[in-house]
Each structure stands twice: as C-alpha cells, then as structure tokens.
Amino acid sequence: DKHCNRQFARLAGAVDQFSADRTTYIVSRFPLETITTLEQRDTVSGGWVVQSADLIINRDDAAGLLQFGAVLGSYLSQVRVTYTGGHWFDTAETDPPSRTPPAGATLLPDGVKEAWYLQCQEVWDKRDKLGVSLIAKPEIESKVAAIKFISSVSITEAPTMVQALLEKHRRFQIT
C-alpha cells in the first residue's frame, strides 16, 4: 500500500476526508464502486452536512477520480466522502478458494498478489527459523526489521521482481 501510494483492500464504508478547496479528488481505495454519502463541514460547531450527490458532476471509477466542477468551499472547510472501493481478494480459508467476489467488486490483480507472495518469501528466507544464530553467534541476530520491505524503502531499493510487478499499480500525487 505505501509503495504504491494507495490502499488495495476493498472496504465497504471507507471514508476519505479532504479540504473543500479543490475541484477534483482521488479516493484512496480504487476502483470505486459506490458512493454512500458526501458531506461538508464548514465549522466544527456546524457539524457535517449531507450534500447532494449532484455535486459530483463526473467520476472515473477505475481511477477513483471524483470531479466536482467547482470548488466546494475554502481550504478551512472539509469534505467527507463515504464509499465502497478497492480490490477484493478471497480471505476465506477454504480449499479451493471460493473466488466469488461481492457484486460490483473488482478482483485484486494477480501481479499485486504475486508481489505480496514474493515479499513474504523474502521475509521467510531471511529469518532464522531455528534460532541457530542466537546460540552459535550471539552477536549476530536474525533481524526481520533489517529486511527491505517494499512499504519502507524507495523504489530503487525494492527487490527487482516485486518492483516490476507493482510499478503499474503505483499512484503518483502532487500535494
């Protein structure tokens, strides 16, 4: 998620909050399925006020892009959108997996899943599973934290295969 600057897991009831001084916004979980609520808060004491869905004049579900057509408020005002979005993957522990997504859901791309498996393999391969290094060489420890995780390193340090698999799923954003 951190490497690609987005959240992959599908979530019903996901909430994004952002300043109202913009005409477009990209939700953190895409592809976008449905928008449940659009709210705006101009003051804390005024609270959240439900806005008409008509304020969204266009949207690109695959990219998670919402276009408002006009600035909804000042930079001090906040907009909150509640939606369902992201990629679905089967977490049921059945054999074989059901692979039946909820209606409207998009499956997690195989390349992302493969990158996750490769990263898990990297962790497993680097770990001292028997604790031998703790006895034979106490000064050398098995440090899982030293493994270069995709989420905590730059793209140049990421393992080449994982980097290649995730490259087309990265989201770039200028803030």
Side-chain angles (χ1 to χ4, degrees):
D1 287 357
K2 287 181 184 179
H3 177 74
C4 292
N5 194 28
R6 60 186 284 190
Q7 295 177 334
F8 283 99
R10 179 185 185 269
L11 180 63
V15 177
D16 283 12
Q17 185 173 321
F18 50 94
S19 64
D21 64 339
R22 59 181 68 208
T23 59
T24 60
Y25 181 74
I26 299 174
V27 295
S28 56
R29 296 175 189 272
F30 53 92
L32 182 61
E33 290 177 43
T34 59
I35 296 175
T36 310
T37 312
L38 181 66
E39 302 166 290
Q40 185 168 338
R41 182 180 72 191
D42 295 321
T43 64
V44 174
S45 62
W48 291 101
V49 178
V50 176
Q51 302 295 311
S52 170
D54 293 339
L55 287 177
I56 301 171
I57 63 165
N58 200 1
R59 63 186 235 200
D60 181 344
D61 292 347
L65 177 68
L66 304 177
Q67 295 176 322
F68 302 109
V71 174
L72 301 178
S74 76
Y75 72 94
L76 297 172
S77 297
Q78 294 288 301
V79 174
R80 183 168 67 184
V81 61
T82 305
Y83 64 98
T84 298
H87 291 282
W88 180 85
F89 55 94
D90 190 5
T91 58
E93 294 183 12
T94 59
D95 192 22
S98 68
R99 299 289 291 173
T100 306
T106 303
L107 289 175
L108 183 70
D110 289 337
V112 175
K113 194 182 309 181
E114 185 178 354
W116 182 76
Y117 287 138
L118 288 170
Q119 190 64 50
C120 289
Q121 180 180 352
E122 176 76 7
V123 171
W124 183 254
D125 290 346
K126 298 283 192 230
R127 189 157 191 197
D128 179 12
K129 293 164 267 313
L130 300 175
V132 174
S133 68
L134 297 175
I135 297 169
K137 299 177 184 175
E139 70 280 356
I140 301 173
E141 296 180 21
S142 175
K143 294 186 179 184
V144 175
I147 297 172
K148 293 181 179 179
F149 287 103
I150 294 300
S151 62
S152 63
V153 298
S154 70
I155 193 156
T156 57
E157 297 172 326
T160 308
M161 184 62 142
V162 174
Q163 175 184 335
L165 288 168
L166 292 177
E167 188 60 29
K168 68 180 179 180
H169 300 285
R170 290 184 79 197
R171 179 179 90 169
F172 296 94
Q173 180 175 331
I174 299 174
T175 54

